[in-house]
């Protein structure tokens, strides 16, 4: 396509110029000029195309600029020589034209060098920045002041550097959080194992220690399972069969399953889900995991005699489920981070440190895999977490489908 555009450019440029020569000096000179312009222009651009396809051999941009100037000057020299031979230009005119062409080439080469000097300096600086990033630096590149393609390139490089820095920070935080959550149970297991191995400990104490060890092992197993599930969700390595899910049945079954835990904490749980709310398109077990995470989180953060309410309502194209509690709520400083892995905000009194802080992160990943969203709603008392799901229009139904990577 680019070769055709070059050929069209030569023809459209040569025709009016040759017509001008023909009008001034006769039809023969016009035709000769047309032939010269097409031959020289076509051959020069053909060379440029051929070299462009082998740009790795040509090397730097400076050499490419020099080649461009050489092509132009060479074309002028050949054109003058051919013109002198075919149209009886005098030797005096030929020599003068050649001198002017050479001088024009020298000036053009220097002008191109001056014009490209700042651009080449920006390229060198950007290359040095990227090399430094590869070696561990996260310093952004200097963005050229001019609104040019290089400025856009530098801005894109800085955006990539910022994302890389964020990813590295998140990785360090994740490693630190995992290390912290593994250290406590592993230390306890080591101490308990040493105590069990001690002959001084009586049988009753040994059984109690073994029970504690079993508790720590279950916690470690749950942490590892959650980490594995979160990593698969974020990588998109999932394969779920989606189907019609009755939101009312989903909420009622989940709340009934957690009723005993709520009673033990002295927290009242009730639902506000009308039968007309309809059905969602999703994976029942995964959606129940989201509800369990949200309700258990609300129970942990709600004081005795408080309440947790689970609501659902139908909107234009989605179903929105809300889990609201009457706890102390979430501070403004923490609201932006509640769905991040291992985040456990709030005061030490109001927010317990139980759990690894993965529940909301897993919930977010599951909801987003369904094509929905999860967010914190504004609330004067306590905390309200809402999430949306694709809604099945009444009377239409939905056939079973799949989401994710089948290989997962």
């Amino acid at each position: 396509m680019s070769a055709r555009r070059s050929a069209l450019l030569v023809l459209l440029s040569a025709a009016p110029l040759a017509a001008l020569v023909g009008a001034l000096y006769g039809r023969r000179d016009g035709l000769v000029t047309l032939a010269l312009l097409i031959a020289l222009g076509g051959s020069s651009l053909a060379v440029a195309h051929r070299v462009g396809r082998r740009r790795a051999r040509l090397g730097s941009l400076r050499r490419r600029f020099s080649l461009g100037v050489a092509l132009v000057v060479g074309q002028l020299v050949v054109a003058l020589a051919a013109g002198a031979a075919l149209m009886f230009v005098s030797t005096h005119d030929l020599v003068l034209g050649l001198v002017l062409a050479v001088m024009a080439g020298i000036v053009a080469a220097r002008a191109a060098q001056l014009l490209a000097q700042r651009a080449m300096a920006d390229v060198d600086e950007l290359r040095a920045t990227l090399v430094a990033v590869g070696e561990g630096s996260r310093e952004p590149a200097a963005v050229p002041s001019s609104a040019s393609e290089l400025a856009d390139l530098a801005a894109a490089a800085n955006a990539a550097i910022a994302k890389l820095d964020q990813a590295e920070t998140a990785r360090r935080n994740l490693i630190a959080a995992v290390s912290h959550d593994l250290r406590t149970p592993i230390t306890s297991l080591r101490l308990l194992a040493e105590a069990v191995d001690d002959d001084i400990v009586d049988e009753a104490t040994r059984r109690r220690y073994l029970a504690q060890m079993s508790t720590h092992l279950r916690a470690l197993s749950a942490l590892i399972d959650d980490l594995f599930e979160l990593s698969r969700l974020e990588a998109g390595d999932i394969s779920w069969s989606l189907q019609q899910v009755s939101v009312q049945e989903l909420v009622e079954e989940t709340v009934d399953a957690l009723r005993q835990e709520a009673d033990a904490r002295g927290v009242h749980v009730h639902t506000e889900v009308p039968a007309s709310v309809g059905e969602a398109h999703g994976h029942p077990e995964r959606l129940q995991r989201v509800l369990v995470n949200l309700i258990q989180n609300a129970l942990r953060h709600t004081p005795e005699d408080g309440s947790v309410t689970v609501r659902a309502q139908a909107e234009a194209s989605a179903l929105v489920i809300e889990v609201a509690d009457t706890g102390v709520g979430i501070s403004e400083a923490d609201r932006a981070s509640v769905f991040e892995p291992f985040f456990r905000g709030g005061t030490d009194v109001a927010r317990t440190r139980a759990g690894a802080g993965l529940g909301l992160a897993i919930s977010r990943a599951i909801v987003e895999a369904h094509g929905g969203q999860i967010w914190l709603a504004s609330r004067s008392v306590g905390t309200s977490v809402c999430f949306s799901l694709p809604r099945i229009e009444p009377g239409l139904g939905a056939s079973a489908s799949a989401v994710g990577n089948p290989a997962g």
Side-chain angles (χ1 to χ4, degrees), residues 365-396:
I366 293 175
V367 170
E368 291 178 352
H370 279 79
Q373 294 180 322
I374 189 168
W375 67 94
L376 289 178
S378 299
R379 184 175 171 86
S380 58
V381 178
T383 302
S384 174
V385 183
C386 301
F387 66 95
S388 62
L389 296 170
R391 179 190 179 194
I392 298 176
E393 294 295 334
L396 294 181

mmCIF file of all heavy atoms in Angstrom, residues 365-396:
data_model
loop_
_atom_site.group_PDB
_atom_site.id
_atom_site.type_symbol
_atom_site.label_atom_id
_atom_site.label_comp_id
_atom_site.label_asym_id
_atom_site.label_seq_id
_atom_site.Cartn_x
_atom_site.Cartn_y
_atom_site.Cartn_z
ATOM 1 N N ALA A 365 -13.156 -10.282 42.820
ATOM 2 C CA ALA A 365 -12.745 -11.025 41.636
ATOM 3 C C ALA A 365 -13.883 -11.883 41.096
ATOM 4 O O ALA A 365 -14.078 -11.984 39.878
ATOM 5 C CB ALA A 365 -11.525 -11.894 41.963
ATOM 6 N N ILE A 366 -14.657 -12.510 41.970
ATOM 7 C CA ILE A 366 -15.783 -13.346 41.529
ATOM 8 C C ILE A 366 -16.850 -12.497 40.859
ATOM 9 O O ILE A 366 -17.374 -12.843 39.789
ATOM 10 C CB ILE A 366 -16.371 -14.130 42.718
ATOM 11 C CG1 ILE A 366 -15.368 -15.167 43.225
ATOM 12 C CG2 ILE A 366 -17.678 -14.800 42.324
ATOM 13 C CD1 ILE A 366 -15.816 -15.898 44.481
ATOM 14 N N VAL A 367 -17.199 -11.373 41.486
ATOM 15 C CA VAL A 367 -18.238 -10.499 40.923
ATOM 16 C C VAL A 367 -17.805 -9.964 39.565
ATOM 17 O O VAL A 367 -18.593 -9.958 38.602
ATOM 18 C CB VAL A 367 -18.547 -9.343 41.900
ATOM 19 C CG1 VAL A 367 -19.432 -8.295 41.223
ATOM 20 C CG2 VAL A 367 -19.231 -9.875 43.148
ATOM 21 N N GLU A 368 -16.560 -9.515 39.456
ATOM 22 C CA GLU A 368 -16.088 -8.980 38.177
ATOM 23 C C GLU A 368 -16.015 -10.059 37.110
ATOM 24 O O GLU A 368 -16.219 -9.779 35.927
ATOM 25 C CB GLU A 368 -14.730 -8.302 38.375
ATOM 26 C CG GLU A 368 -14.822 -7.018 39.190
ATOM 27 C CD GLU A 368 -13.472 -6.374 39.427
ATOM 28 O OE1 GLU A 368 -12.441 -7.006 39.096
ATOM 29 O OE2 GLU A 368 -13.438 -5.248 39.957
ATOM 30 N N ALA A 369 -15.722 -11.309 37.504
ATOM 31 C CA ALA A 369 -15.719 -12.405 36.532
ATOM 32 C C ALA A 369 -17.117 -12.671 35.992
ATOM 33 O O ALA A 369 -17.272 -13.189 34.885
ATOM 34 C CB ALA A 369 -15.154 -13.674 37.180
ATOM 35 N N HIS A 370 -18.147 -12.300 36.767
ATOM 36 C CA HIS A 370 -19.534 -12.428 36.309
ATOM 37 C C HIS A 370 -19.977 -11.233 35.466
ATOM 38 O O HIS A 370 -21.115 -11.207 34.991
ATOM 39 C CB HIS A 370 -20.476 -12.563 37.514
ATOM 40 C CG HIS A 370 -20.539 -13.943 38.087
ATOM 41 N ND1 HIS A 370 -19.577 -14.451 38.925
ATOM 42 C CD2 HIS A 370 -21.465 -14.934 37.935
ATOM 43 C CE1 HIS A 370 -19.901 -15.688 39.272
ATOM 44 N NE2 HIS A 370 -21.036 -16.009 38.680
ATOM 45 N N GLY A 371 -19.107 -10.237 35.303
ATOM 46 C CA GLY A 371 -19.485 -9.041 34.568
ATOM 47 C C GLY A 371 -20.164 -7.997 35.429
ATOM 48 O O GLY A 371 -20.773 -7.061 34.905
ATOM 49 N N GLY A 372 -20.070 -8.141 36.752
ATOM 50 C CA GLY A 372 -20.682 -7.181 37.664
ATOM 51 C C GLY A 372 -19.659 -6.274 38.306
ATOM 52 O O GLY A 372 -18.473 -6.277 37.960
ATOM 53 N N GLN A 373 -20.115 -5.497 39.285
ATOM 54 C CA GLN A 373 -19.259 -4.591 40.037
ATOM 55 C C GLN A 373 -19.563 -4.711 41.519
ATOM 56 O O GLN A 373 -20.659 -5.111 41.907
ATOM 57 C CB GLN A 373 -19.465 -3.136 39.590
ATOM 58 C CG GLN A 373 -19.036 -2.849 38.162
ATOM 59 C CD GLN A 373 -19.271 -1.396 37.780
ATOM 60 O OE1 GLN A 373 -20.266 -0.787 38.170
ATOM 61 N NE2 GLN A 373 -18.355 -0.829 37.024
ATOM 62 N N ILE A 374 -18.586 -4.351 42.355
ATOM 63 C CA ILE A 374 -18.766 -4.366 43.799
ATOM 64 C C ILE A 374 -18.244 -3.045 44.345
ATOM 65 O O ILE A 374 -17.230 -2.529 43.854
ATOM 66 C CB ILE A 374 -18.050 -5.577 44.437
ATOM 67 C CG1 ILE A 374 -18.413 -5.713 45.918
ATOM 68 C CG2 ILE A 374 -16.550 -5.519 44.244
ATOM 69 C CD1 ILE A 374 -17.988 -7.043 46.532
ATOM 70 N N TRP A 375 -18.932 -2.487 45.315
ATOM 71 C CA TRP A 375 -18.550 -1.173 45.820
ATOM 72 C C TRP A 375 -19.084 -0.963 47.251
ATOM 73 O O TRP A 375 -19.942 -1.707 47.730
ATOM 74 C CB TRP A 375 -19.081 -0.078 44.899
ATOM 75 C CG TRP A 375 -20.582 0.059 44.877
ATOM 76 C CD1 TRP A 375 -21.354 0.899 45.617
ATOM 77 C CD2 TRP A 375 -21.501 -0.680 44.039
ATOM 78 N NE1 TRP A 375 -22.689 0.743 45.315
ATOM 79 C CE2 TRP A 375 -22.804 -0.215 44.344
ATOM 80 C CE3 TRP A 375 -21.341 -1.669 43.060
ATOM 81 C CZ2 TRP A 375 -23.928 -0.713 43.710
ATOM 82 C CZ3 TRP A 375 -22.475 -2.174 42.449
ATOM 83 C CH2 TRP A 375 -23.759 -1.698 42.761
ATOM 84 N N LEU A 376 -18.554 0.087 47.884
ATOM 85 C CA LEU A 376 -19.050 0.518 49.189
ATOM 86 C C LEU A 376 -20.080 1.614 48.972
ATOM 87 O O LEU A 376 -19.799 2.611 48.295
ATOM 88 C CB LEU A 376 -17.914 1.060 50.054
ATOM 89 C CG LEU A 376 -16.900 0.059 50.606
ATOM 90 C CD1 LEU A 376 -15.827 0.810 51.391
ATOM 91 C CD2 LEU A 376 -17.563 -0.964 51.496
ATOM 92 N N ALA A 377 -21.261 1.430 49.529
ATOM 93 C CA ALA A 377 -22.306 2.445 49.412
ATOM 94 C C ALA A 377 -22.205 3.423 50.587
ATOM 95 O O ALA A 377 -21.704 3.077 51.656
ATOM 96 C CB ALA A 377 -23.685 1.791 49.387
ATOM 97 N N SER A 378 -22.658 4.631 50.358
ATOM 98 C CA SER A 378 -22.657 5.636 51.426
ATOM 99 C C SER A 378 -23.691 5.256 52.480
ATOM 100 O O SER A 378 -24.814 4.851 52.162
ATOM 101 C CB SER A 378 -22.985 7.020 50.854
ATOM 102 O OG SER A 378 -22.018 7.406 49.905
ATOM 103 N N ARG A 379 -23.285 5.413 53.739
ATOM 104 C CA ARG A 379 -24.165 5.006 54.836
ATOM 105 C C ARG A 379 -23.762 5.791 56.078
ATOM 106 O O ARG A 379 -22.575 5.903 56.399
ATOM 107 C CB ARG A 379 -24.041 3.494 55.073
ATOM 108 C CG ARG A 379 -24.979 2.939 56.129
ATOM 109 C CD ARG A 379 -24.851 1.423 56.170
ATOM 110 N NE ARG A 379 -25.551 0.833 57.291
ATOM 111 C CZ ARG A 379 -26.830 0.513 57.281
ATOM 112 N NH1 ARG A 379 -27.542 0.719 56.188
ATOM 113 N NH2 ARG A 379 -27.402 -0.037 58.343
ATOM 114 N N SER A 380 -24.746 6.360 56.775
ATOM 115 C CA SER A 380 -24.447 7.170 57.959
ATOM 116 C C SER A 380 -24.021 6.317 59.140
ATOM 117 O O SER A 380 -23.228 6.751 59.982
ATOM 118 C CB SER A 380 -25.679 8.003 58.342
ATOM 119 O OG SER A 380 -26.807 7.156 58.583
ATOM 120 N N VAL A 381 -24.535 5.089 59.236
ATOM 121 C CA VAL A 381 -24.195 4.187 60.337
ATOM 122 C C VAL A 381 -23.745 2.854 59.758
ATOM 123 O O VAL A 381 -24.417 2.276 58.900
ATOM 124 C CB VAL A 381 -25.398 3.960 61.286
ATOM 125 C CG1 VAL A 381 -25.022 2.976 62.381
ATOM 126 C CG2 VAL A 381 -25.859 5.282 61.890
ATOM 127 N N GLY A 382 -22.612 2.354 60.243
ATOM 128 C CA GLY A 382 -22.149 1.046 59.810
ATOM 129 C C GLY A 382 -21.571 1.054 58.410
ATOM 130 O O GLY A 382 -21.163 2.078 57.870
ATOM 131 N N THR A 383 -21.565 -0.149 57.815
ATOM 132 C CA THR A 383 -20.970 -0.356 56.489
ATOM 133 C C THR A 383 -21.983 -1.005 55.563
ATOM 134 O O THR A 383 -22.756 -1.878 55.984
ATOM 135 C CB THR A 383 -19.726 -1.256 56.588
ATOM 136 O OG1 THR A 383 -18.791 -0.655 57.473
ATOM 137 C CG2 THR A 383 -19.077 -1.452 55.230
ATOM 138 N N SER A 384 -21.977 -0.597 54.310
ATOM 139 C CA SER A 384 -22.853 -1.179 53.305
ATOM 140 C C SER A 384 -22.031 -1.554 52.083
ATOM 141 O O SER A 384 -21.420 -0.692 51.458
ATOM 142 C CB SER A 384 -23.961 -0.189 52.911
ATOM 143 O OG SER A 384 -24.734 -0.700 51.839
ATOM 144 N N VAL A 385 -21.999 -2.853 51.774
ATOM 145 C CA VAL A 385 -21.295 -3.342 50.593
ATOM 146 C C VAL A 385 -22.335 -3.819 49.587
ATOM 147 O O VAL A 385 -23.204 -4.633 49.924
ATOM 148 C CB VAL A 385 -20.332 -4.491 50.941
ATOM 149 C CG1 VAL A 385 -19.564 -4.928 49.697
ATOM 150 C CG2 VAL A 385 -19.370 -4.071 52.042
ATOM 151 N N CYS A 386 -22.247 -3.319 48.350
ATOM 152 C CA CYS A 386 -23.193 -3.692 47.302
ATOM 153 C C CYS A 386 -22.440 -4.344 46.137
ATOM 154 O O CYS A 386 -21.292 -4.013 45.874
ATOM 155 C CB CYS A 386 -23.950 -2.464 46.783
ATOM 156 S SG CYS A 386 -24.884 -1.564 48.035
ATOM 157 N N PHE A 387 -23.123 -5.243 45.464
ATOM 158 C CA PHE A 387 -22.572 -5.783 44.219
ATOM 159 C C PHE A 387 -23.700 -6.046 43.243
ATOM 160 O O PHE A 387 -24.843 -6.304 43.627
ATOM 161 C CB PHE A 387 -21.730 -7.041 44.462
ATOM 162 C CG PHE A 387 -22.486 -8.239 44.954
ATOM 163 C CD1 PHE A 387 -22.946 -9.214 44.072
ATOM 164 C CD2 PHE A 387 -22.720 -8.426 46.313
ATOM 165 C CE1 PHE A 387 -23.620 -10.333 44.529
ATOM 166 C CE2 PHE A 387 -23.387 -9.540 46.782
ATOM 167 C CZ PHE A 387 -23.837 -10.498 45.889
ATOM 168 N N SER A 388 -23.360 -5.923 41.959
ATOM 169 C CA SER A 388 -24.353 -6.104 40.906
ATOM 170 C C SER A 388 -24.060 -7.364 40.118
ATOM 171 O O SER A 388 -22.916 -7.806 40.016
ATOM 172 C CB SER A 388 -24.349 -4.889 39.964
ATOM 173 O OG SER A 388 -23.086 -4.763 39.321
ATOM 174 N N LEU A 389 -25.129 -7.920 39.539
ATOM 175 C CA LEU A 389 -25.033 -9.123 38.712
ATOM 176 C C LEU A 389 -25.886 -8.937 37.461
ATOM 177 O O LEU A 389 -26.893 -8.225 37.501
ATOM 178 C CB LEU A 389 -25.527 -10.350 39.489
ATOM 179 C CG LEU A 389 -24.734 -10.758 40.725
ATOM 180 C CD1 LEU A 389 -25.493 -11.828 41.494
ATOM 181 C CD2 LEU A 389 -23.360 -11.272 40.331
ATOM 182 N N PRO A 390 -25.512 -9.575 36.356
ATOM 183 C CA PRO A 390 -26.357 -9.500 35.153
ATOM 184 C C PRO A 390 -27.750 -10.049 35.447
ATOM 185 O O PRO A 390 -27.897 -11.120 36.043
ATOM 186 C CB PRO A 390 -25.608 -10.372 34.141
ATOM 187 C CG PRO A 390 -24.196 -10.387 34.623
ATOM 188 C CD PRO A 390 -24.273 -10.330 36.111
ATOM 189 N N ARG A 391 -28.751 -9.325 35.024
ATOM 190 C CA ARG A 391 -30.137 -9.696 35.305
ATOM 191 C C ARG A 391 -30.745 -10.434 34.127
ATOM 192 O O ARG A 391 -30.495 -10.086 32.972
ATOM 193 C CB ARG A 391 -30.954 -8.432 35.597
ATOM 194 C CG ARG A 391 -32.425 -8.694 35.881
ATOM 195 C CD ARG A 391 -33.178 -7.377 35.921
ATOM 196 N NE ARG A 391 -34.590 -7.575 36.172
ATOM 197 C CZ ARG A 391 -35.527 -6.641 35.990
ATOM 198 N NH1 ARG A 391 -35.169 -5.455 35.535
ATOM 199 N NH2 ARG A 391 -36.795 -6.899 36.245
ATOM 200 N N ILE A 392 -31.530 -11.459 34.425
ATOM 201 C CA ILE A 392 -32.286 -12.169 33.401
ATOM 202 C C ILE A 392 -33.651 -11.514 33.293
ATOM 203 O O ILE A 392 -34.389 -11.407 34.282
ATOM 204 C CB ILE A 392 -32.439 -13.669 33.756
ATOM 205 C CG1 ILE A 392 -31.058 -14.333 33.824
ATOM 206 C CG2 ILE A 392 -33.327 -14.366 32.746
ATOM 207 C CD1 ILE A 392 -31.115 -15.776 34.248
ATOM 208 N N GLU A 393 -33.978 -11.033 32.095
ATOM 209 C CA GLU A 393 -35.266 -10.374 31.909
ATOM 210 C C GLU A 393 -36.410 -11.360 32.147
ATOM 211 O O GLU A 393 -36.343 -12.511 31.713
ATOM 212 C CB GLU A 393 -35.373 -9.815 30.481
ATOM 213 C CG GLU A 393 -34.387 -8.700 30.190
ATOM 214 C CD GLU A 393 -34.648 -7.470 31.039
ATOM 215 O OE1 GLU A 393 -35.811 -7.278 31.450
ATOM 216 O OE2 GLU A 393 -33.698 -6.710 31.289
ATOM 217 N N PRO A 394 -37.459 -10.928 32.853
ATOM 218 C CA PRO A 394 -38.593 -11.824 33.120
ATOM 219 C C PRO A 394 -39.182 -12.385 31.838
ATOM 220 O O PRO A 394 -39.390 -11.670 30.859
ATOM 221 C CB PRO A 394 -39.596 -10.905 33.843
ATOM 222 C CG PRO A 394 -38.765 -9.796 34.414
ATOM 223 C CD PRO A 394 -37.647 -9.603 33.443
ATOM 224 N N GLY A 395 -39.394 -13.698 31.837
ATOM 225 C CA GLY A 395 -40.001 -14.355 30.695
ATOM 226 C C GLY A 395 -39.033 -14.780 29.619
ATOM 227 O O GLY A 395 -39.388 -15.554 28.734
ATOM 228 N N LEU A 396 -37.780 -14.290 29.681
ATOM 229 C CA LEU A 396 -36.817 -14.643 28.640
ATOM 230 C C LEU A 396 -35.992 -15.855 29.020
ATOM 231 O O LEU A 396 -35.673 -16.688 28.195
ATOM 232 C CB LEU A 396 -35.878 -13.445 28.356
ATOM 233 C CG LEU A 396 -36.559 -12.218 27.751
ATOM 234 C CD1 LEU A 396 -35.521 -11.136 27.507
ATOM 235 C CD2 LEU A 396 -37.252 -12.596 26.442
#
